[in-house]
Amino acid sequence: MPNKIEQTFANKMRIEGWKVYRNGWPDFIIQRKGMLIAVEIKPDNEELRIQQVKIMDILVSAGIKCCKWTPSSGMTDYITNKQRRKIIMLQKQKI
């Protein structure tokens, strides 16, 4: 059974036209108009656990968009550590 934050997320996504699948690994898969997103739901200021990061990395490497959703921030794209390092490297090159 979803907690209050997860239920809020599912209701919001349904209102926005997404089909919502609750499978727990990750928390949700949402689908709309040919787009598929894996979503982890977290309370504000809570980070993903190590196992969740590993799963998100696997999904991203397979070409699946992943996001983290919090009540205050809404949906934010998940960025792998590899992607983070590349962004930092590119930013340093611009300086």
Side-chain angles (χ1 to χ4, degrees):
M1 176 145 192
N3 64 39
K4 185 177 178 182
I5 295 171
E6 292 171 340
Q7 191 59 51
T8 299
F9 167 79
N11 291 341
K12 182 173 176 42
M13 293 300 105
R14 286 185 184 103
I15 289 168
E16 292 180 13
W18 292 90
K19 290 182 181 179
V20 178
Y21 304 94
R22 169 102 171 107
N23 64 350
W25 188 77
D27 290 326
F28 290 92
I29 298 291
I30 58 174
Q31 181 267 326
R32 178 177 71 183
K33 298 179 184 175
M35 189 166 34
L36 182 82
I37 304 174
V39 186
E40 282 293 343
I41 309 300
K42 290 291 177 193
D44 291 325
N45 302 317
E46 187 175 312
E47 296 301 318
L48 297 172
R49 294 187 309 271
I50 292 171
Q51 189 61 27
Q52 291 170 322
V53 168
K54 289 178 182 179
I55 295 301
M56 295 291 238
D57 285 348
I58 291 167
L59 294 172
V60 167
S61 71
I64 297 171
K65 181 178 174 118
C66 294
C67 294
K68 176 182 166 185
W69 186 91
T70 63
S72 65
S73 299
M75 197 87 78
T76 55
D77 288 343
Y78 173 76
I79 299 174
T80 65
N81 286 332
K82 184 177 179 180
Q83 291 168 322
R84 235 180 243 107
R85 285 191 298 273
K86 187 173 182 178
I87 290 167
I88 291 168
M89 188 174 62
L90 291 172
Q91 289 172 338
K92 286 180 180 178
Q93 289 175 355
K94 290 180 181 180
I95 296 176

Coordinates of all heavy atoms in Angstrom, one line a residue:
M1 N 0.8 -1.2 0.0 CA 0.0 0.0 0.0 C 0.9 1.2 0.0 O 1.8 1.4 0.8 CB -0.9 0.0 1.2 CG -1.7 1.2 1.4 SD -3.3 0.7 2.1 CE -4.2 2.1 1.9
P2 N 0.6 2.2 -0.9 CA 1.5 3.4 -1.0 C 1.3 4.3 0.2 O 0.2 4.4 0.8 CB 1.0 4.1 -2.2 CG -0.3 3.5 -2.6 CD -0.4 2.2 -1.9
N3 N 2.4 5.0 0.6 CA 2.3 5.9 1.7 C 1.7 7.2 1.1 O 1.4 7.3 -0.1 CB 3.7 6.2 2.4 CG 4.7 6.8 1.4 OD1 4.4 7.6 0.6 ND2 5.9 6.3 1.5
K4 N 1.5 8.2 2.0 CA 0.8 9.4 1.6 C 1.5 10.2 0.5 O 0.9 10.7 -0.5 CB 0.6 10.4 2.8 CG -0.2 11.6 2.6 CD -0.3 12.4 3.8 CE -1.1 13.7 3.5 NZ -1.3 14.6 4.7
I5 N 2.8 10.2 0.5 CA 3.6 10.9 -0.5 C 3.4 10.2 -1.8 O 3.2 10.8 -2.9 CB 5.1 11.1 -0.1 CG1 5.2 12.0 1.1 CG2 5.9 11.6 -1.2 CD1 6.6 12.0 1.7
E6 N 3.5 8.9 -1.8 CA 3.4 8.1 -3.0 C 2.0 8.2 -3.6 O 1.8 8.3 -4.8 CB 3.7 6.6 -2.7 CG 5.2 6.4 -2.4 CD 5.5 5.0 -1.9 OE1 4.6 4.3 -1.5 OE2 6.7 4.6 -2.0
Q7 N 1.0 8.3 -2.8 CA -0.4 8.4 -3.2 C -0.6 9.8 -3.9 O -1.2 9.9 -4.9 CB -1.4 8.2 -2.1 CG -2.8 8.1 -2.6 CD -3.0 7.0 -3.5 OE1 -2.7 5.8 -3.3 NE2 -3.6 7.2 -4.7
T8 N 0.0 10.8 -3.3 CA -0.1 12.2 -3.8 C 0.5 12.2 -5.2 O 0.0 12.8 -6.2 CB 0.7 13.2 -2.9 OG1 0.0 13.2 -1.6 CG2 0.7 14.6 -3.5
F9 N 1.7 11.6 -5.3 CA 2.4 11.5 -6.6 C 1.5 10.8 -7.7 O 1.3 11.3 -8.8 CB 3.7 10.8 -6.5 CG 4.3 10.4 -7.8 CD1 5.0 11.3 -8.6 CD2 4.2 9.1 -8.3 CE1 5.5 11.0 -9.8 CE2 4.7 8.8 -9.5 CZ 5.4 9.7 -10.3
A10 N 1.0 9.6 -7.3 CA 0.2 8.8 -8.3 C -1.0 9.6 -8.7 O -1.4 9.6 -9.9 CB -0.2 7.5 -7.6
N11 N -1.7 10.3 -7.8 CA -2.9 11.0 -8.1 C -2.5 12.2 -9.1 O -3.2 12.4 -10.1 CB -3.6 11.6 -6.9 CG -4.2 10.5 -6.1 OD1 -4.5 9.4 -6.5 ND2 -4.5 10.8 -4.8
K12 N -1.4 12.9 -8.8 CA -1.0 14.0 -9.6 C -0.7 13.5 -11.0 O -1.0 14.2 -12.0 CB 0.2 14.7 -9.0 CG 0.7 15.9 -9.7 CD 1.8 16.6 -8.9 CE 2.5 17.7 -9.6 NZ 1.6 18.6 -10.3
M13 N 0.0 12.4 -11.1 CA 0.4 11.9 -12.5 C -0.8 11.5 -13.3 O -0.9 11.7 -14.5 CB 1.4 10.8 -12.3 CG 2.8 11.2 -11.8 SD 3.6 12.4 -12.8 CE 3.4 13.9 -11.8
R14 N -1.8 10.9 -12.6 CA -3.0 10.4 -13.3 C -3.8 11.7 -13.8 O -4.3 11.7 -14.9 CB -3.9 9.6 -12.4 CG -3.3 8.2 -12.2 CD -4.3 7.3 -11.4 NE -3.7 6.0 -11.1 CZ -3.1 5.7 -9.9 NH1 -3.2 6.5 -8.9 NH2 -2.6 4.5 -9.8
I15 N -3.8 12.7 -13.0 CA -4.5 14.0 -13.4 C -3.8 14.5 -14.7 O -4.5 15.1 -15.5 CB -4.5 15.0 -12.3 CG1 -5.5 14.5 -11.2 CG2 -4.9 16.4 -12.8 CD1 -5.4 15.3 -9.9
E16 N -2.5 14.4 -14.7 CA -1.7 14.9 -15.9 C -1.7 14.0 -17.1 O -1.1 14.3 -18.1 CB -0.3 15.2 -15.4 CG -0.1 16.3 -14.4 CD 1.3 16.6 -14.0 OE1 2.2 16.1 -14.6 OE2 1.5 17.3 -13.0
G17 N -2.5 12.9 -17.0 CA -2.6 12.0 -18.1 C -1.7 10.8 -18.2 O -1.7 10.1 -19.2
W18 N -0.9 10.6 -17.2 CA 0.0 9.5 -17.2 C -0.7 8.2 -16.7 O -1.5 8.2 -15.9 CB 1.2 9.7 -16.2 CG 2.1 10.8 -16.6 CD1 2.0 12.1 -16.3 CD2 3.3 10.7 -17.4 NE1 3.1 12.8 -16.8 CE2 3.9 12.0 -17.5 CE3 3.9 9.6 -18.0 CZ2 5.0 12.2 -18.2 CZ3 5.1 9.9 -18.8 CH2 5.6 11.2 -18.8
K19 N -0.3 7.1 -17.3 CA -0.7 5.8 -16.8 C 0.3 5.5 -15.7 O 1.5 5.6 -15.9 CB -0.7 4.7 -17.8 CG -1.8 4.8 -18.9 CD -1.7 3.7 -19.9 CE -2.8 3.9 -20.9 NZ -2.8 2.9 -21.9
V20 N -0.1 5.0 -14.5 CA 0.8 4.8 -13.4 C 0.8 3.4 -13.0 O -0.2 2.8 -12.8 CB 0.3 5.7 -12.2 CG1 1.2 5.5 -11.0 CG2 0.2 7.2 -12.6
Y21 N 2.0 2.8 -12.9 CA 2.2 1.4 -12.5 C 3.0 1.4 -11.3 O 4.1 2.0 -11.2 CB 2.9 0.6 -13.6 CG 2.2 0.7 -15.0 CD1 2.6 1.7 -15.9 CD2 1.2 -0.1 -15.3 CE1 1.9 1.8 -17.1 CE2 0.5 0.0 -16.5 CZ 0.9 0.9 -17.4 OH 0.3 1.0 -18.6
R22 N 2.5 0.8 -10.2 CA 3.2 0.7 -8.9 C 3.8 -0.7 -8.8 O 3.0 -1.7 -8.6 CB 2.2 1.0 -7.8 CG 2.7 0.7 -6.5 CD 3.1 2.0 -5.8 NE 3.4 1.7 -4.4 CZ 4.6 1.7 -3.9 NH1 5.6 1.9 -4.7 NH2 4.8 1.4 -2.6
N23 N 5.1 -0.8 -8.9 CA 5.7 -2.1 -8.7 C 6.8 -2.2 -7.7 O 7.2 -3.2 -7.3 CB 6.2 -2.6 -10.1 CG 7.4 -1.7 -10.6 OD1 7.6 -0.6 -10.0 ND2 8.0 -2.1 -11.6
G24 N 7.2 -1.0 -7.1 CA 8.1 -1.0 -6.0 C 9.6 -1.1 -6.4 O 10.4 -1.1 -5.6
W25 N 9.9 -1.3 -7.7 CA 11.3 -1.4 -8.1 C 11.5 -0.8 -9.5 O 11.4 -1.6 -10.4 CB 11.7 -2.9 -8.1 CG 13.1 -3.2 -8.3 CD1 14.1 -3.0 -7.4 CD2 13.7 -3.7 -9.5 NE1 15.3 -3.4 -7.9 CE2 15.1 -3.8 -9.2 CE3 13.3 -4.0 -10.7 CZ2 16.0 -4.3 -10.1 CZ3 14.2 -4.5 -11.7 CH2 15.5 -4.6 -11.4
P26 N 11.6 0.4 -9.7 CA 11.6 1.5 -8.7 C 10.1 1.7 -8.2 O 9.2 0.9 -8.6 CB 12.0 2.7 -9.5 CG 11.6 2.4 -10.9 CD 11.8 0.9 -11.1
D27 N 9.9 2.8 -7.4 CA 8.6 3.0 -6.8 C 7.5 2.9 -7.9 O 6.4 2.3 -7.7 CB 8.5 4.3 -6.0 CG 9.4 4.2 -4.8 OD1 9.4 3.1 -4.2 OD2 9.9 5.2 -4.4
F28 N 7.7 3.7 -9.0 CA 6.6 3.8 -10.0 C 7.3 3.7 -11.4 O 8.4 4.2 -11.6 CB 5.9 5.1 -9.9 CG 5.0 5.2 -8.7 CD1 5.4 5.7 -7.5 CD2 3.7 4.7 -8.8 CE1 4.6 5.8 -6.4 CE2 2.8 4.8 -7.7 CZ 3.3 5.4 -6.5
I29 N 6.5 3.2 -12.3 CA 6.8 3.4 -13.8 C 5.6 4.2 -14.3 O 4.4 3.8 -14.0 CB 6.9 2.1 -14.5 CG1 8.0 1.2 -14.0 CG2 7.0 2.3 -16.0 CD1 9.4 1.7 -14.3
I30 N 5.8 5.3 -15.0 CA 4.7 6.1 -15.5 C 4.9 6.1 -17.1 O 6.0 6.1 -17.6 CB 4.6 7.5 -15.0 CG1 5.9 8.3 -15.2 CG2 4.3 7.4 -13.5 CD1 5.8 9.8 -14.7
Q31 N 3.8 6.1 -17.8 CA 3.8 6.0 -19.2 C 2.8 6.9 -19.8 O 1.7 7.0 -19.3 CB 3.6 4.6 -19.6 CG 3.6 4.3 -21.1 CD 2.2 4.4 -21.8 OE1 1.2 4.0 -21.2 NE2 2.2 4.9 -23.0
R32 N 3.2 7.7 -20.8 CA 2.3 8.6 -21.6 C 2.8 8.9 -22.9 O 4.0 9.2 -23.1 CB 2.1 9.9 -20.8 CG 1.2 10.9 -21.4 CD 1.0 12.1 -20.6 NE 2.2 12.9 -20.6 CZ 2.4 14.0 -19.9 NH1 1.4 14.5 -19.1 NH2 3.5 14.7 -19.9
K33 N 2.0 8.7 -24.0 CA 2.4 9.1 -25.3 C 3.7 8.5 -25.8 O 4.6 9.3 -26.3 CB 2.3 10.6 -25.5 CG 1.0 11.2 -25.3 CD 1.0 12.7 -25.4 CE -0.3 13.3 -25.1 NZ -0.4 14.8 -25.1
G34 N 3.9 7.3 -25.5 CA 5.2 6.6 -25.9 C 6.4 6.9 -25.1 O 7.5 6.5 -25.4
M35 N 6.2 7.7 -24.0 CA 7.3 8.0 -23.1 C 7.2 7.1 -21.8 O 6.1 6.9 -21.3 CB 7.3 9.4 -22.7 CG 8.5 9.9 -22.0 SD 8.8 11.7 -21.8 CE 7.2 12.4 -21.7
L36 N 8.3 6.6 -21.3 CA 8.3 5.8 -20.1 C 9.3 6.4 -19.2 O 10.4 6.7 -19.6 CB 8.7 4.3 -20.5 CG 8.7 3.3 -19.4 CD1 7.3 2.8 -19.1 CD2 9.7 2.2 -19.7
I37 N 8.9 6.5 -17.9 CA 9.8 7.1 -16.9 C 9.8 6.2 -15.6 O 8.7 5.9 -15.1 CB 9.5 8.5 -16.5 CG1 9.4 9.4 -17.8 CG2 10.4 9.1 -15.5 CD1 9.0 10.9 -17.5
A38 N 10.9 5.9 -15.1 CA 11.0 5.2 -13.8 C 11.2 6.3 -12.7 O 12.0 7.1 -12.9 CB 12.2 4.2 -13.8
V39 N 10.4 6.2 -11.7 CA 10.4 7.3 -10.7 C 10.5 6.7 -9.3 O 9.8 5.8 -8.9 CB 9.1 8.1 -10.7 CG1 9.1 9.2 -9.8 CG2 8.7 8.5 -12.2
E40 N 11.5 7.3 -8.5 CA 11.6 7.0 -7.1 C 11.0 8.2 -6.4 O 11.2 9.3 -6.7 CB 13.1 6.9 -6.7 CG 13.7 5.5 -7.0 CD 13.2 4.4 -6.2 OE1 12.5 4.6 -5.2 OE2 13.4 3.2 -6.7
I41 N 10.2 7.9 -5.4 CA 9.5 8.9 -4.6 C 10.2 9.0 -3.2 O 10.5 8.0 -2.6 CB 8.0 8.4 -4.3 CG1 7.3 8.0 -5.6 CG2 7.3 9.5 -3.5 CD1 7.3 9.1 -6.6
K42 N 10.5 10.3 -2.9 CA 11.2 10.5 -1.6 C 10.5 11.7 -0.9 O 10.1 12.7 -1.5 CB 12.7 10.9 -1.9 CG 13.5 9.7 -2.3 CD 13.6 8.7 -1.2 CE 14.4 7.5 -1.6 NZ 14.3 6.4 -0.7
P43 N 10.5 11.7 0.4 CA 10.1 12.9 1.2 C 11.2 14.0 0.9 O 12.3 13.7 0.5 CB 10.2 12.4 2.6 CG 10.2 11.0 2.6 CD 10.8 10.5 1.3
D44 N 10.8 15.2 1.2 CA 11.7 16.3 1.0 C 13.0 16.1 1.7 O 13.0 15.5 2.8 CB 11.1 17.6 1.4 CG 10.0 18.1 0.5 OD1 10.0 17.8 -0.7 OD2 9.0 18.6 1.0
N45 N 14.1 16.4 1.1 CA 15.5 16.3 1.7 C 15.9 14.9 2.0 O 16.9 14.7 2.8 CB 15.5 17.1 3.0 CG 15.2 18.6 2.8 OD1 15.7 19.2 1.8 ND2 14.4 19.2 3.6
E46 N 15.3 13.9 1.4 CA 15.8 12.5 1.6 C 16.5 12.1 0.3 O 15.9 12.3 -0.8 CB 14.7 11.6 1.9 CG 15.2 10.2 2.3 CD 14.1 9.2 2.8 OE1 13.3 9.7 3.7 OE2 14.0 8.1 2.3
E47 N 17.6 11.5 0.4 CA 18.4 11.0 -0.8 C 18.0 9.6 -1.2 O 17.5 8.8 -0.3 CB 19.9 11.1 -0.6 CG 20.3 12.6 -0.4 CD 20.0 13.5 -1.6 OE1 20.2 13.0 -2.7 OE2 19.6 14.6 -1.4
L48 N 18.4 9.2 -2.4 CA 18.2 7.8 -2.8 C 19.2 6.9 -2.0 O 20.3 7.3 -1.7 CB 18.5 7.6 -4.3 CG 17.6 8.4 -5.2 CD1 18.1 8.3 -6.7 CD2 16.2 7.9 -5.2
R49 N 18.7 5.7 -1.7 CA 19.6 4.7 -1.0 C 20.6 4.1 -2.1 O 20.4 4.2 -3.3 CB 18.8 3.6 -0.4 CG 17.9 4.1 0.8 CD 17.2 3.0 1.5 NE 16.5 2.1 0.7 CZ 15.2 2.2 0.3 NH1 14.5 3.3 0.7 NH2 14.6 1.3 -0.5
I50 N 21.6 3.5 -1.6 CA 22.7 3.0 -2.5 C 22.1 2.0 -3.5 O 22.4 2.1 -4.7 CB 23.8 2.3 -1.7 CG1 24.6 3.4 -0.9 CG2 24.7 1.5 -2.6 CD1 25.6 2.8 0.1
Q51 N 21.2 1.1 -3.1 CA 20.6 0.1 -4.0 C 19.7 0.8 -5.0 O 19.7 0.4 -6.2 CB 19.8 -0.9 -3.2 CG 19.3 -2.1 -4.0 CD 20.4 -2.9 -4.6 OE1 21.5 -2.9 -4.1 NE2 20.2 -3.5 -5.7
Q52 N 19.0 1.9 -4.6 CA 18.2 2.6 -5.6 C 19.1 3.3 -6.6 O 18.7 3.3 -7.8 CB 17.4 3.7 -4.8 CG 16.3 3.0 -4.0 CD 15.6 4.0 -3.1 OE1 16.2 4.9 -2.5 NE2 14.3 3.8 -2.9
V53 N 20.2 3.8 -6.2 CA 21.2 4.5 -7.2 C 21.7 3.4 -8.1 O 21.7 3.7 -9.4 CB 22.3 5.1 -6.4 CG1 23.5 5.5 -7.4 CG2 21.9 6.3 -5.6
K54 N 22.0 2.2 -7.7 CA 22.5 1.2 -8.6 C 21.4 0.8 -9.6 O 21.7 0.6 -10.8 CB 22.9 -0.1 -7.7 CG 24.2 0.1 -6.9 CD 24.5 -1.1 -6.1 CE 25.7 -0.9 -5.3 NZ 26.0 -2.1 -4.4
I55 N 20.2 0.7 -9.1 CA 19.1 0.3 -10.1 C 18.9 1.4 -11.1 O 18.7 1.2 -12.3 CB 17.8 0.0 -9.3 CG1 18.0 -1.2 -8.4 CG2 16.6 -0.1 -10.2 CD1 18.3 -2.5 -9.2
M56 N 18.9 2.7 -10.6 CA 18.7 3.8 -11.5 C 19.8 3.8 -12.6 O 19.6 4.1 -13.7 CB 18.6 5.1 -10.8 CG 17.4 5.2 -9.9 SD 15.8 5.3 -10.8 CE 15.2 6.9 -10.1
D57 N 21.0 3.6 -12.1 CA 22.2 3.6 -13.1 C 22.0 2.5 -14.1 O 22.2 2.7 -15.3 CB 23.5 3.3 -12.3 CG 24.0 4.5 -11.6 OD1 23.5 5.6 -11.8 OD2 24.9 4.3 -10.8
I58 N 21.5 1.3 -13.7 CA 21.2 0.2 -14.7 C 20.1 0.6 -15.7 O 20.3 0.5 -16.9 CB 20.8 -1.1 -14.0 CG1 22.0 -1.6 -13.2 CG2 20.3 -2.1 -14.9 CD1 21.7 -2.7 -12.2
L59 N 19.1 1.2 -15.2 CA 18.0 1.6 -16.0 C 18.4 2.7 -17.0 O 18.1 2.7 -18.2 CB 16.8 2.1 -15.2 CG 16.1 1.0 -14.4 CD1 15.0 1.7 -13.4 CD2 15.4 0.0 -15.2
V60 N 19.1 3.7 -16.5 CA 19.6 4.8 -17.4 C 20.5 4.2 -18.5 O 20.5 4.6 -19.7 CB 20.3 5.9 -16.6 CG1 21.1 6.9 -17.5 CG2 19.3 6.7 -15.8
S61 N 21.4 3.3 -18.1 CA 22.3 2.7 -19.1 C 21.6 1.9 -20.2 O 22.1 1.7 -21.3 CB 23.4 1.8 -18.4 OG 22.8 0.7 -17.9
A62 N 20.4 1.5 -19.8 CA 19.5 0.7 -20.8 C 18.6 1.7 -21.6 O 17.8 1.3 -22.3 CB 18.6 -0.3 -20.0
G63 N 18.8 3.0 -21.4 CA 18.1 4.0 -22.1 C 16.7 4.4 -21.5 O 15.9 5.0 -22.2
I64 N 16.5 4.0 -20.3 CA 15.2 4.4 -19.6 C 15.4 5.6 -18.8 O 16.3 5.7 -18.0 CB 14.7 3.2 -18.7 CG1 14.5 2.0 -19.6 CG2 13.5 3.6 -17.9 CD1 14.2 0.7 -18.8
K65 N 14.6 6.6 -19.0 CA 14.6 7.9 -18.3 C 14.2 7.6 -16.8 O 13.3 6.9 -16.6 CB 13.7 8.9 -18.9 CG 13.7 10.2 -18.1 CD 12.8 11.2 -18.8 CE 12.8 12.5 -17.9 NZ 13.3 13.6 -18.6
C66 N 15.0 8.2 -15.9 CA 14.7 8.0 -14.5 C 14.6 9.3 -13.8 O 15.4 10.3 -14.2 CB 15.9 7.2 -13.8 SG 15.9 5.5 -14.4
C67 N 13.7 9.4 -12.8 CA 13.6 10.7 -12.1 C 13.4 10.4 -10.6 O 13.0 9.3 -10.2 CB 12.3 11.4 -12.6 SG 12.5 12.1 -14.3
K68 N 13.6 11.4 -9.8 CA 13.3 11.4 -8.4 C 12.1 12.4 -8.2 O 12.2 13.5 -8.8 CB 14.5 11.8 -7.6 CG 14.2 11.9 -6.1 CD 15.5 12.4 -5.4 CE 15.2 12.8 -4.0 NZ 16.4 13.4 -3.3
W69 N 11.1 12.1 -7.4 CA 10.0 13.0 -7.2 C 9.9 13.3 -5.7 O 10.0 12.4 -4.9 CB 8.7 12.4 -7.7 CG 7.5 13.4 -7.6 CD1 7.1 14.2 -8.6 CD2 6.6 13.5 -6.5 NE1 6.0 14.9 -8.2 CE2 5.7 14.5 -6.9 CE3 6.5 13.0 -5.3 CZ2 4.7 14.9 -6.1 CZ3 5.5 13.4 -4.4 CH2 4.6 14.4 -4.8
T70 N 9.8 14.6 -5.3 CA 9.6 15.0 -3.9 C 8.4 15.9 -3.9 O 8.1 16.6 -4.9 CB 10.8 15.7 -3.3 OG1 11.1 16.9 -4.0 CG2 12.0 14.8 -3.3
P71 N 7.7 16.0 -2.8 CA 6.5 16.9 -2.7 C 6.9 18.4 -3.1 O 6.1 19.1 -3.8 CB 6.1 16.8 -1.3 CG 6.5 15.5 -0.9 CD 7.8 15.3 -1.6
S72 N 8.0 18.9 -2.6 CA 8.3 20.3 -2.9 C 9.0 20.6 -4.2 O 8.8 21.6 -4.8 CB 9.2 20.9 -1.7 OG 10.4 20.3 -1.7
S73 N 9.8 19.6 -4.7 CA 10.5 19.8 -6.0 C 9.8 19.2 -7.2 O 10.2 19.6 -8.3 CB 11.9 19.2 -5.9 OG 12.7 19.9 -4.9
G74 N 8.9 18.3 -6.9 CA 8.3 17.6 -8.1 C 9.3 16.7 -8.7 O 10.2 16.1 -8.1
M75 N 9.2 16.6 -10.0 CA 10.0 15.6 -10.8 C 11.4 16.2 -11.1 O 11.4 17.3 -11.7 CB 9.3 15.2 -12.1 CG 9.8 14.0 -12.7 SD 9.1 12.5 -12.1 CE 7.5 12.6 -12.9
T76 N 12.5 15.6 -10.8 CA 13.8 16.0 -11.2 C 14.5 14.8 -11.9 O 14.4 13.7 -11.4 CB 14.7 16.5 -10.0 OG1 14.7 15.5 -9.0 CG2 14.1 17.7 -9.4
D77 N 15.2 15.1 -13.0 CA 15.9 14.1 -13.7 C 17.0 13.4 -12.8 O 17.7 14.1 -12.1 CB 16.6 14.6 -15.0 CG 15.5 14.9 -16.0 OD1 14.4 14.5 -16.0 OD2 15.9 15.7 -17.0
Y78 N 17.1 12.1 -12.9 CA 18.2 11.4 -12.3 C 19.4 11.5 -13.1 O 19.4 11.3 -14.3 CB 17.8 9.9 -12.0 CG 18.9 9.1 -11.5 CD1 19.3 9.2 -10.2 CD2 19.7 8.3 -12.3 CE1 20.4 8.5 -9.7 CE2 20.8 7.5 -11.8 CZ 21.1 7.7 -10.5 OH 22.1 7.0 -10.0
I79 N 20.5 11.9 -12.5 CA 21.8 12.0 -13.2 C 22.8 11.0 -12.6 O 23.0 11.0 -11.4 CB 22.4 13.4 -13.2 CG1 21.4 14.4 -13.8 CG2 23.8 13.4 -13.8 CD1 21.9 15.8 -13.6
T80 N 23.3 10.1 -13.5 CA 24.3 9.1 -12.9 C 25.6 9.7 -12.5 O 25.9 10.9 -12.9 CB 24.6 8.0 -14.0 OG1 25.3 8.6 -15.1 CG2 23.3 7.3 -14.5
N81 N 26.3 9.0 -11.7 CA 27.7 9.6 -11.3 C 28.5 9.8 -12.5 O 29.3 10.8 -12.6 CB 28.3 8.6 -10.3 CG 27.7 8.7 -9.0 OD1 27.2 9.8 -8.6 ND2 27.8 7.6 -8.2
K82 N 28.4 8.9 -13.5 CA 29.2 9.1 -14.8 C 28.8 10.3 -15.5 O 29.7 11.1 -15.9 CB 29.0 7.8 -15.7 CG 29.8 7.8 -16.9 CD 29.6 6.6 -17.7 CE 30.4 6.5 -19.0 NZ 30.2 5.3 -19.7
Q83 N 27.5 10.6 -15.6 CA 27.0 11.8 -16.2 C 27.5 13.1 -15.4 O 27.9 14.1 -16.0 CB 25.5 11.8 -16.3 CG 25.0 10.8 -17.3 CD 23.5 10.6 -17.2 OE1 22.9 10.6 -16.1 NE2 22.8 10.4 -18.3
R84 N 27.4 13.0 -14.1 CA 27.9 14.1 -13.2 C 29.3 14.4 -13.5 O 29.7 15.6 -13.6 CB 27.7 13.7 -11.8 CG 26.8 14.7 -11.0 CD 26.6 14.2 -9.5 NE 25.2 14.0 -9.3 CZ 24.6 12.8 -9.2 NH1 25.3 11.7 -9.2 NH2 23.3 12.7 -9.0
R85 N 30.2 13.4 -13.5 CA 31.6 13.6 -13.8 C 31.8 14.3 -15.1 O 32.7 15.2 -15.2 CB 32.4 12.3 -13.7 CG 32.6 11.8 -12.2 CD 33.6 10.7 -12.2 NE 33.1 9.5 -12.9 CZ 32.4 8.5 -12.4 NH1 31.9 8.6 -11.2 NH2 32.0 7.5 -13.2
K86 N 31.1 13.9 -16.1 CA 31.2 14.5 -17.5 C 30.8 15.9 -17.5 O 31.5 16.8 -18.1 CB 30.4 13.7 -18.5 CG 30.6 14.1 -19.9 CD 29.8 13.2 -20.9 CE 30.1 13.6 -22.3 NZ 29.5 12.7 -23.2
I87 N 29.7 16.2 -16.8 CA 29.3 17.6 -16.7 C 30.3 18.5 -16.0 O 30.7 19.6 -16.5 CB 27.9 17.7 -15.9 CG1 26.8 17.1 -16.8 CG2 27.6 19.2 -15.5 CD1 25.5 16.9 -16.0
I88 N 30.9 18.0 -14.9 CA 31.9 18.7 -14.2 C 33.1 19.0 -15.0 O 33.7 20.0 -15.1 CB 32.3 18.0 -12.9 CG1 31.1 18.1 -11.9 CG2 33.6 18.6 -12.2 CD1 31.3 17.2 -10.7
M89 N 33.5 17.9 -15.8 CA 34.7 18.0 -16.7 C 34.4 19.1 -17.8 O 35.3 19.9 -18.0 CB 35.0 16.7 -17.3 CG 36.3 16.6 -18.1 SD 36.7 15.0 -18.7 CE 35.4 14.6 -19.8
L90 N 33.3 19.1 -18.3 CA 32.9 20.1 -19.4 C 32.9 21.5 -18.8 O 33.3 22.4 -19.5 CB 31.6 19.7 -20.0 CG 31.6 18.4 -20.9 CD1 30.2 18.1 -21.3 CD2 32.5 18.6 -22.1
Q91 N 32.4 21.6 -17.6 CA 32.3 22.9 -17.0 C 33.8 23.5 -16.7 O 34.0 24.6 -16.9 CB 31.6 22.9 -15.7 CG 30.1 22.7 -15.9 CD 29.3 22.5 -14.6 OE1 29.9 22.1 -13.6 NE2 28.0 22.8 -14.6
K92 N 34.7 22.6 -16.3 CA 36.0 23.0 -16.0 C 36.7 23.4 -17.3 O 37.6 24.3 -17.3 CB 36.8 21.9 -15.4 CG 36.5 21.7 -13.9 CD 37.3 20.5 -13.3 CE 36.9 20.4 -11.8 NZ 37.6 19.2 -11.2
Q93 N 36.4 22.8 -18.5 CA 37.0 23.1 -19.7 C 36.6 24.5 -20.2 O 37.3 25.2 -20.9 CB 36.6 22.0 -20.8 CG 37.3 20.7 -20.6 CD 36.8 19.7 -21.6 OE1 35.9 19.9 -22.4 NE2 37.4 18.5 -21.5
K94 N 35.4 24.9 -19.8 CA 34.9 26.2 -20.2 C 35.5 27.4 -19.4 O 35.5 28.5 -19.9 CB 33.4 26.3 -20.0 CG 32.6 25.4 -21.0 CD 31.1 25.6 -20.8 CE 30.4 24.7 -21.8 NZ 28.9 24.8 -21.6
I95 N 36.1 27.1 -18.3 CA 36.7 28.1 -17.4 C 38.0 28.6 -18.0 O 38.8 28.0 -18.6 CB 36.9 27.6 -16.0 CG1 35.5 27.3 -15.4 CG2 37.6 28.6 -15.1 CD1 35.5 26.7 -14.0

